[in-house]
Amino acid sequence: MFSKILIANRGEIACRIIGTCRRLGIATVVVYSEADADSLAVEMADEAVFIGPPPAAQSYLDADKIVAACRETGAEAVHPGFGFLSENAAFAQRLADEGIVFIGPNPGAISAMGDKIESKRFAAKAGVSTVPGHVGEIADVAEAVRISEEIGYPVMIKASAGGGGKGIRVAWSRKDVEEGFPAVRAEAKASFGDDRIFIEKFIESPRHIEIQVLGDKHGNVVHLFERECSIQRRNQKVIEEAPSPLLDEATRAAMGAQAVALAKAVGYDSAGTVEFVAGQDKSFFFLEMNTRLQVEHPVTELITGIDLVEQMIRVAAGEKLSFAQNDLSIDGWAIESRIYAEDPYRGFLPSIGRLVRYSPPEEGSTPDGARVRNDAGVREGDEISMFYDPMISKLSTWAPTRDQAIDAMAAALERFHIEGLGHNVPFLAGVMDQDRFRSGKLSTNYIKDEFPEGFHGLAPDEFQRDVMTAVACAMHRVLSRRANPKATRDEWIVVGAGEPRRVQLAEAGGALRIAFPDTPGEGLLLDEIDWRPGRPVFAGRLGAQPFAAAAAPLGEGFRIRHRAASAHVLVLTPRSAELHAKLPPKKAADTAKLILSPMPGLVVSLDVVPGQEVKAGEQVAVVEAMKMQNIIRAERDGKVKATGPQPGDPVAADDVLVELA
Ligand code: ADP
Ligand code: ADP
Ligand code: MG
């Protein structure tokens, strides 16, 4: 076994790997860029080596610096995590040449699977069902059209070297191919320096289901069942689970057998993932193999009890797998939510900044017999920078059944509190509350189907209206008593949590009883109150149901969010409620003339000048953050009156880029 491992990565995955190394008694080294000097990974590792400026090309992707750091610290092996150098065959080979162990598959397996055309050929030969289509390079538009028509529309045009959702385009017609083929080719050339393109059938409304495989250097390969990752935006995953609600035993066994056959055919000797698209009819087709640890590996660990990082380390050190396929089984159900620094209310655009508050739910067992795990690489006060992946953490829950795992996830998300930047916690909580998600009718179109106009929160249900009412009453009572200890009023009108409701409040021990004199019924009992002024989360129990809500006093009233439902709730005297009802609705500021930056970042280009006429939909600027270039378009026709920042300037969210006359 190794005595010291270097981790050529950052953030949560570096912390994750350190955790396993500690348990195994292996010393750890992390490398870090200037942007990560004060990171949790650097704090946790036994040693840390500085490797350069923030851009990955000058730090985390620089093989020379990684090798030098191994030499300097005496690390015998490198775990690459995911992203960065993890699927780089030349890097794996380089380490081998230097006598350093790469904790991942052999370079031959990486190159065989790194290319989509090659890997599809390989898969077909190994008896794996592949997406119908053309397995080979396509020369020009004429050939692309001919092949598309042979396959039958819709088809998917794909870059052989593509990855991370880039270099992919759907074509529904001949015209789409004529336009799309050159576009994908240009994007592939620019992003991957390789413009080989192939075309396959586009499976409509498919599910993304992948098989975790694990091999050793002695020819043994097992699979650790499947994960379903159908909840995606921009062809990238947000919610994953294991097992898949679609699969039955026979399909699971068939997919597992094909994945193992492919892994054996390429001499696979580490942890890896064989991705498939599956039809709702359980047909399935090979997509690609990822020759690394996968972001969503925790769900597999939770249902199998196997630590995949430990297994990668053991097989890299030459150990034989200590279990066979028959020793493995699925225990319960696990779900992972990726907590991203992105604004779900603005098309999931990245939202960088400081974690002014970062308070994750408690990890470990819950009173209901579920388990919570949070893989994070940040602490309160840390910055999510524009240089790397915008992930804050990965929240996973496990329970005996899928319904219970969803309940546990929803409860854990309630207790996840983040301030300082946009984050997708309300969105994730919203999905957990959707009947369609519960029913398991997933597809990669889920987000588009369910939120066609974008995500704007969900309307509160009856329980949530009660939560909002009760929380507002309790907060109002504490705050008004503070302001005036002699205040005695117990009767109020609550406005904003559904229809206005008259309430009568009474204290009962530490609890608050809320009666509704105008409606029959028992009213509400709010107890186990856990809140003090200044705290951003109000926890308690309403009836028998524990809950936590984000709650903040506003100038007037409170902003209360429970899961995906949010409202501005006021607790008023009957007289002020009457006045309030007569107020004209507030008008939003007229921003139609302003074109704003939807996210913080750098202005890459400003494509209009004062005096120029623009049409709705026309590109006016490009703003870049976190490797993503975002094209900003005019929302209406108009004449440019003024422009704001210039190329190279930093902008904050809502900064004015262009003003129309
Ligand atoms: P897939 O595994 O299907 O390719 P992922 O969402 O897991 O999709 O990852 C997409 C790409 O981005 C992969 O190359 C992965 O290694 C990389 N990646 C994802 N998340 C991170 C992260 N937090 N840090 C570094 N790289 C990441
Ligand atoms: P990447 O290397 O970017 O991860 P993949 O080939 O894994 O590329 O595809 C990414 C996503 O695009 C998949 O998870 C799936 O949602 C969708 N996709 C890819 N190929 C097809 C196809 N032939 N039909 C339908 N959807 C597809
Ligand atoms: Mg993929």
Side-chain angles (χ1 to χ4, degrees):
M1 188 38 68
F2 310 113
S3 56
K4 193 188 272 188
I5 286 176
L6 182 140
I7 298 155
N9 214 302
R10 60 177 301 282
E12 61 88 15
I13 192 58
C15 298
R16 157 76 190 84
I17 296 166
I18 292 171
T20 290
C21 289
R22 275 190 185 161
R23 195 166 54 70
L24 300 177
I26 301 170
T28 52
V29 183
V30 290
V31 290
Y32 66 95
S33 77
E34 225 169 276
D36 289 328
D38 296 320
S39 67
L40 183 60
V42 168
E43 183 186 304
M44 282 175 69
D46 298 306
E47 288 171 79
V49 179
F50 175 69
I51 49 162
Q58 297 165 53
S59 49
Y60 297 104
L61 284 170
D62 188 333
D64 289 339
K65 288 181 177 161
I66 310 285
V67 169
C70 289
R71 291 269 166 269
E72 187 187 323
T73 57
E76 309 143 77
V78 171
H79 197 304
F82 38 70
F84 300 132
L85 293 166
S86 62
E87 293 179 275
N88 186 316
F91 177 66
Q93 185 57 54
R94 167 87 191 275
L95 288 183
D97 296 344
E98 303 269 353
I100 301 165
V101 177
F102 178 71
I103 303 176
N106 64 79
I110 301 178
S111 12
M113 291 295 113
D115 185 88
K116 288 193 207 280
I117 293 178
E118 279 311 307
S119 69
K120 218 174 146 178
R121 281 205 182 111
F122 223 101
K125 250 193 283 164
V128 175
S129 37
T130 55
V131 184
H134 182 78
V135 197
E137 211 177 307
I138 293 171
D140 52 31
V141 175
E143 193 187 354
V145 169
R146 187 174 57 72
I147 285 167
S148 303
E149 277 164 16
E150 261 169 43
I151 298 169
Y153 296 110
V155 296
M156 207 155 193
I157 308 170
K158 282 189 169 183
S160 191
K166 261 196 178 162
I168 283 186
R169 195 185 274 220
V170 184
W172 298 87
S173 65
R174 180 188 183 121
K175 186 166 155 281
D176 288 351
V177 177
E178 285 166 356
E179 277 175 25
F181 180 80
V184 174
R185 177 171 251 186
E187 185 174 322
K189 181 93 192 155
S191 304
F192 313 109
D194 176 342
D195 65 357
R196 289 169 307 127
I197 307 294
F198 67 107
I199 296 182
E200 63 188 22
K201 182 81 190 160
F202 175 63
I203 314 291
E204 286 180 72
S205 197
R207 303 170 71 130
H208 176 117
I209 299 179
E210 56 187 35
I211 302 283
Q212 175 71 54
V213 296
L214 178 63
D216 64 18
K217 293 185 179 171
H218 308 275
N220 303 302
V221 180
V222 296
H223 71 83
L224 287 86
F225 314 105
E226 78 280 6
R227 292 181 288 259
E228 174 150 10
C229 318
S230 297
I231 310 292
Q232 306 185 347
R233 43 129 192 62
R234 294 192 282 270
N235 290 322
Q236 288 181 307
K237 306 157 182 170
V238 226
I239 298 172
E240 301 101 337
E241 61 186 292
S244 159
L246 180 74
L247 297 197
D248 51 43
E249 272 312 320
T251 316
R252 173 171 298 126
M255 287 179 90
Q258 291 199 3
V260 168
L262 176 61
K264 285 197 167 154
V266 290
Y268 204 79
D269 51 359
S270 185
T273 294
V274 181
E275 296 190 332
F276 295 91
V277 279
Q280 302 296 342
D281 60 357
K282 300 190 178 109
S283 58
F284 59 88
F285 307 98
F286 171 77
L287 262 188
E288 63 164 345
M289 180 166 186
N290 292 325
T291 56
R292 54 169 160 90
L293 186 67
Q294 199 94 339
V295 175
E296 57 275 17
H297 74 278
V299 290
T300 299
E301 297 186 328
L302 286 167
I303 60 158
T304 59
I306 288 178
D307 179 330
L308 284 165
V309 172
E310 174 183 342
Q311 294 304 321
M312 289 178 83
I313 295 172
R314 289 192 181 283
V315 297
E319 286 186 21
K320 274 191 184 157
L321 288 181
S322 62
F323 41 83
Q325 193 65 54
N326 284 339
D327 300 323
L328 296 166
S329 59
I330 297 177
D331 175 26
W333 211 285
I335 299 185
E336 175 184 275
S337 293
R338 299 193 191 189
I339 315 286
Y340 274 118
E342 66 183 17
D343 195 337
Y345 303 100
R346 292 171 181 237
F348 304 100
L349 286 175
S351 169
I352 53 186
R354 194 169 293 285
L355 290 163
V356 175
R357 284 192 203 249
Y358 172 77
S359 168
E362 216 176 302
E363 292 186 82
S365 299
T366 72
D368 302 333
R371 287 207 301 275
V372 177
R373 165 174 169 179
N374 186 45
D375 288 48
V378 293
R379 299 151 299 194
E380 192 163 276
D382 284 354
E383 189 140 6
I384 302 291
S385 83
M386 57 191 262
F387 296 107
Y388 312 111
D389 196 90
M391 200 158 69
I392 301 171
S393 89
K394 302 183 310 206
L395 180 65
S396 312
T397 55
W398 175 94
T401 67
R402 184 170 188 268
D403 266 332
Q404 292 165 328
I406 294 173
D407 286 341
M409 177 59 74
L413 286 166
E414 277 182 33
R415 281 163 174 82
F416 212 131
H417 186 73
I418 297 169
E419 268 176 50
L421 39 69
H423 60 82
N424 63 345
V425 168
F427 170 76
L428 297 165
V431 174
M432 294 303 140
D433 274 344
Q434 286 187 313
D435 291 339
R436 173 166 170 203
F437 184 75
R438 283 221 178 234
S439 74
K441 293 197 186 79
L442 311 183
S443 106
T444 55
N445 290 334
Y446 187 96
I447 294 178
K448 259 183 245 145
D449 291 349
E450 294 301 312
F451 305 101
E453 308 293 326
F455 175 73
H456 304 287
L458 297 180
D461 63 17
E462 194 184 332
F463 174 73
Q464 292 178 313
R465 289 194 296 270
D466 287 347
V467 163
M468 290 169 175
T469 302
V471 168
C473 290
M475 289 172 77
H476 180 264
R477 200 169 171 86
V478 171
L479 294 175
S480 54
R481 291 267 158 100
R482 257 201 176 184
N484 175 10
K486 295 207 192 80
T488 53
R489 172 179 283 281
D490 286 323
E491 228 186 77
W492 303 92
I493 312 282
V494 177
V495 175
E499 286 297 303
R501 280 198 279 189
R502 193 151 69 89
V503 297
Q504 232 155 23
L505 307 180
E507 254 159 65
L512 183 65
R513 192 171 286 288
I514 301 151
F516 302 108
D518 300 338
T519 40
E522 289 200 358
L524 303 170
L525 181 70
L526 174 64
D527 63 356
E528 292 178 17
I529 294 173
D530 182 12
W531 181 75
R532 266 183 285 111
R535 275 225 215 136
V537 175
F538 189 113
R541 211 170 60 145
L542 193 64
Q545 179 71 42
F547 71 89
L554 300 176
E556 200 190 10
F558 308 94
R559 164 68 46 192
I560 300 172
R561 178 178 66 78
H562 181 258
R563 300 192 179 176
S566 165
H568 180 184
V569 186
L570 304 162
V571 182
L572 302 172
T573 61
R575 173 88 189 113
S576 341
E578 240 171 73
L579 289 173
H580 184 85
K582 288 190 191 125
L583 282 180
K586 268 202 198 113
K587 261 218 207 120
D590 182 15
T591 52
K593 285 184 187 153
L594 305 178
I595 303 173
L596 308 177
S597 175
M599 58 182 189
L602 277 185
V603 177
V604 176
S605 73
L606 198 76
D607 309 309
V608 293
V609 290
Q612 186 177 336
E613 295 284 348
V614 293
K615 290 251 168 290
E618 196 175 322
Q619 171 171 338
V620 298
V622 178
V623 176
E624 182 184 77
M626 300 204 213
K627 306 174 287 186
M628 228 184 81
Q629 294 218 343
N630 197 55
I631 296 176
I632 316 296
R633 299 176 189 280
E635 275 171 30
R636 62 176 185 88
D637 298 354
K639 187 177 192 164
V640 176
K641 186 171 159 200
T643 58
Q646 295 304 306
D649 288 349
V651 280
D654 286 339
D655 275 4
V656 177
L657 296 170
V658 173
E659 186 181 349
L660 301 179

